[in-house]
Amino acid sequence: MIQFRNLSLARGAKPLVEDATLQIHPGWRVGLTGANGSGKSSLFALLRGELHQERGDLEMPAAWVIAHVAQETPALARSALDYTLDGDAELRRIEDELARLEAHHDPADGAHIGELHARLHEIGGYAARARAAALLDGLGFLPADLERPVADFSGGWRMRLNLAQALMCRSDLLLLDEPTNHLDLDAVIWLEQWLRDYRGTLLLISHDREFLDACVSHVAHVENRRLTLYSGGYSDFERQRGERLIQQQAMFEKQQREIAHMEDYIRRFRAKATKARQAQSRIKALERMERIAAAHVDTPFTFSFRDAPPAPDPLLAIEDGAVGYDGKTILTGLALTLRPGERVGLLGRNGAGKSTLIKLLAGGLALSAGRRTDGKGLATGYFAQHQLETLRPDESPLQHMVRLDPAAREQELRDYLGGFDFRGDGAGGTATPATAPCGSFSGGEKSRLALALLIWQRPNLLLLDEPTNHLDLEMRHALTLALQDYEGGMVLVSHDRALLRATCDRFLLVDGGRVQIFDGDLDDYRDWLAARRAEAAAAAQCPDRAADKAARKADRAQAAAERQARLAARRPLVKESEQLEKKLAGWQGEKQQLDTQLADPAFYANPDPAQLQALTRRQAELAALIDEAELRWLELAESLEALAVDGDA
C-alpha cells in the first residue's frame, strides 16, 4: 500500500501539504482534487521520486511499476504503434534480448531463448501489438495512423500517444494528471471504461466531475494544506465535504460565542481584586484555545454574460449545404436552423466533422454548396483552443481588455477581470495578476482570459469548441451557471458531460458526413458508441463474416420490405373477406328463416298471393347473393393464400 505518515511537502519556500497521514490500499482508485496550485501535481512528483518530502514518511512497495503520462513527446520517426509498445519496458527488453541471441545462432543460448519465449507468453507479449492497436483505436486513432511516425502528429495527438504509452505499461500504480484534456467525448467514454477495468492502483487528477464519479472509489482532497481522504466518488465527496463544512461552521460559531463570553468577563472583572484570579484564568484559557477556522467555500469566479443585442429569428439558416477542406467534402446535405435561446450540443466520433461544423457556423469556413442566411444583427462569439495562440504573450489581461474596448473605464475592466480571478497587480494572494504578461500563463489561465474576452463582446450566438480544457472544477461550475443564464443561442462541443447535461436542450449527431437530430441523451449516445465499436471490432476480426453479416442484413431488409408489401396488398383483401363473411352470415340466416316459412304447410292454409310472391322473390335473390358472395370469398381466399406472410394461420 501507499502510506503517508505526518508528511509535509513544499515547492521551494511554498508549503503545499502539512502533516498528511493516510493509507491508499492496492486496487483503490483515488481522485486527487484541490484548487490549482494546491500541490496535486507535486504529490505525483513525490510518488515518482522526483520530489522529496520536507518531513514525515512516505512508504510504498519498492517493486511497484509506476506508469504516468509524459508531458513532452519528441518528434520521433518511430511509428505510433511502436511508440505505444515502448510503454511496456519488460516486453521491449525481452524482444531486444531475443533479437540479439537469435542473431548469434549460438546453440548454447537455446535454453535462455526458451526461457525468454516462456516469459513473453506469460506477459501476453504475442498479443501486445493487438493490445496497442486497441488502445490507439479507443483513443481515436484511425487504422492508417498506426504506422505514421510520431513526428507527423500535432501536439494534442502526441499527448494521446503519451497516454496510450502509459496505458500500455503493465503498471502497479497508474498516475494520470488531467488525461481528458486532449480527448473528445467518445475517447473519454472509452477511457472511462478502460480505467474501470484496470486492476492496479489508480491516482487520478481531473476536473471532470462525471469522469471522476465513474472512475474513482475514493477522493483525496487538498485544502488549506491539509490532505483529507473521503470514501466514494466525487458526488459523495461533495456531499461529505459539505456536511463537514456545516459542522465546522457550527463549531466555529459556538467557539466564537464562548470567546466573546470570556472576553466580556475579562473586560468587566480583570480590574476587580475579588475577580482578578478568575479573569487571569480565562486569559490563559483563551491563549491555550485551539481556534476553529470559519468554513470557507467561496469560489474565486463570479461572472455572467452581458446583455446581448436584440437577436434575429432565426439567427442563421443553412439549406442543402456542403463544406470541407482542400477539395474534400466533410459534411453534405446540411439543413440547419438556429434560433435565439436554442442550446445545441454536437455529438459524434472523432473526425466526424464536429469542429468543421462549428468553424462553418463561426464563419471560418465557407459552404462549398448550398445556401447560408445570417439574420440581421447576428453577433457570433467563437471559442476554440487554437484561439489561445492569438493572445499576445507580452500583454496582460488588462491590456487585452483595453485593446478590445478602449472606451471602457479601467476600473470597470478590472472589476470584470476579477470575476475570472485576474486580480490586483501581483502583490500577493493566489489570484492571477491582471497586469502580468500572459506569455507565462498556464493553459487554464489562458482559457479563462479567452473566455473573458469572448463574453465581453456580448454575442447573441455562442459557438464553443471544448471550452473546459484546462479549466478547474470551480471555473467549470461558474461557466455552467453563466451558460444556464445566457439568453442567446449556443452550439457546444465538449467532452465534459456535466456541462453538456446542464446546458444543452437538444443534441445533433455528426456522423457519416451528415448532421441529424440525435433522439436521446448522453447515456443513449454512450450505448450508440458501444454498438459502433462492436460492429467495427467484428468487421476487423473477420472481414468475410462481416461481409456475410452485411449480406444477411441486406437480405433481411429485402425480406422485410417484401413482407411489408405483401401486408399492404393483403389488407384490402382481408377487409373485403371479413365484410363478405358478415354479409353471408346475415343472408344465410335470412334465407334459412324464409326456407322454413315457405316449407310450413300451415302457411298455405290461407295464403296471401302478394306476400307469397314477395317471399319467393326474396328467397331467389338471397340464393343468388349467397352464391355470388361464396364465389368471391373463395377467390379472396386463394389470393390471400398466395400473399401469405410468415406467422399467418
Side-chain angles (χ1 to χ4, degrees), residues 1-303:
M1 72 175 71
I2 300 171
Q3 186 156 333
F4 292 173
R5 286 199 186 95
N6 301 317
L7 184 140
S8 295
L9 179 66
R11 278 271 192 183
K14 181 183 179 183
L16 298 173
V17 175
E18 295 178 345
D19 297 321
T21 298
L22 58 83
Q23 294 178 345
I24 298 174
H25 294 269
W28 278 14
R29 301 189 301 276
V30 181
L32 186 56
T33 64
N36 284 342
S38 62
K40 303 186 296 297
S41 296
S42 296
L43 282 168
F44 272 20
L46 174 71
L47 293 169
R48 294 197 302 267
E50 298 169 4
L51 274 183
H52 296 283
Q53 63 267 30
E54 297 290 302
R55 58 181 178 274
D57 298 310
L58 166 63
E59 294 180 7
M60 59 188 298
W64 268 15
V65 175
I66 302 175
H68 73 283
V69 179
Q71 294 304 305
E72 300 293 334
T73 315
L76 301 173
R78 293 180 69 75
S79 71
L81 186 62
D82 280 330
Y83 184 78
T84 301
L85 285 164
D86 291 344
D88 192 332
E90 184 182 6
L91 169 71
R92 285 312 203 191
R93 284 197 302 270
I94 293 173
E95 288 178 339
D96 291 345
E97 181 71 1
L98 280 171
R100 184 184 67 79
L101 293 173
E102 291 171 351
H104 284 86
H105 303 291
D106 187 343
D109 293 330
H112 186 36
I113 289 174
E115 291 171 356
L116 290 173
H117 276 289
R119 179 57 182 163
L120 198 62
H121 176 72
E122 288 175 6
I123 66 174
Y126 298 112
R129 293 184 73 83
R131 289 203 310 276
L135 287 173
L136 291 171
D137 175 70
L139 292 173
F141 291 87
L142 300 173
D145 293 330
L146 271 57
E147 298 304 325
R148 286 176 58 195
V150 172
D152 279 5
F153 293 96
S154 65
W157 285 97
R158 290 189 192 181
M159 289 305 298
R160 293 196 192 205
L161 285 174
N162 286 348
L163 176 57
Q165 191 179 78
L167 301 183
M168 188 67 195
C169 177
R170 290 173 295 105
S171 57
D172 301 291
L173 174 62
L174 177 58
L175 305 175
L176 295 181
D177 190 346
E178 290 292 350
T180 65
N181 262 358
H182 299 280
L183 303 183
D184 47 15
L185 182 54
D186 52 327
V188 169
I189 292 172
W190 174 87
L191 178 60
E192 192 176 278
Q193 182 59 54
W194 194 95
L195 291 177
R196 278 201 292 259
D197 295 336
Y198 176 65
R199 295 298 175 229
T201 303
L202 170 68
L203 263 68
L204 170 66
I205 299 173
S206 178
H207 295 305
D208 185 328
R209 62 182 62 235
E210 274 205 40
F211 186 70
L212 282 168
D213 260 336
C215 295
V216 305
S217 58
H218 296 75
V219 170
H221 185 61
V222 186
E223 186 176 28
N224 297 325
R225 299 193 293 276
R226 299 293 177 185
L227 182 61
T228 308
L229 187 66
Y230 297 82
S231 295
Y234 188 79
S235 297
D236 298 315
F237 151 71
E238 284 191 312
R239 176 182 52 78
Q240 293 173 50
R241 178 171 175 252
E243 292 171 353
R244 183 179 63 79
L245 288 171
I246 291 171
Q247 184 180 17
Q248 178 182 336
Q249 184 65 22
M251 293 171 63
F252 168 77
E253 292 172 358
K254 179 181 178 182
Q255 187 181 65
Q256 290 301 304
R257 289 193 296 271
E258 292 175 357
I259 291 171
H261 181 73
M262 293 169 72
E263 288 177 340
D264 180 61
Y265 186 93
I266 293 166
R267 187 171 53 255
R268 286 190 294 128
F269 297 116
R270 69 185 306 172
K272 289 189 177 181
T274 56
K275 299 286 187 180
R277 180 172 301 202
Q278 292 92 325
Q280 288 299 320
S281 175
R282 283 165 172 75
I283 291 171
K284 291 178 181 178
L286 276 175
E287 291 172 349
R288 292 194 303 267
M289 183 179 289
E290 184 175 344
R291 301 298 175 101
I292 299 170
H296 183 74
V297 293
D298 290 342
T299 173
F301 309 110
T302 53
F303 66 90

Side-chain angles (χ1 to χ4, degrees), residues 310-315 374-378 460:
D313 189 5
L315 293 163
D374 290 355
K376 186 178 181 180
L378 175 66
N460 50 34

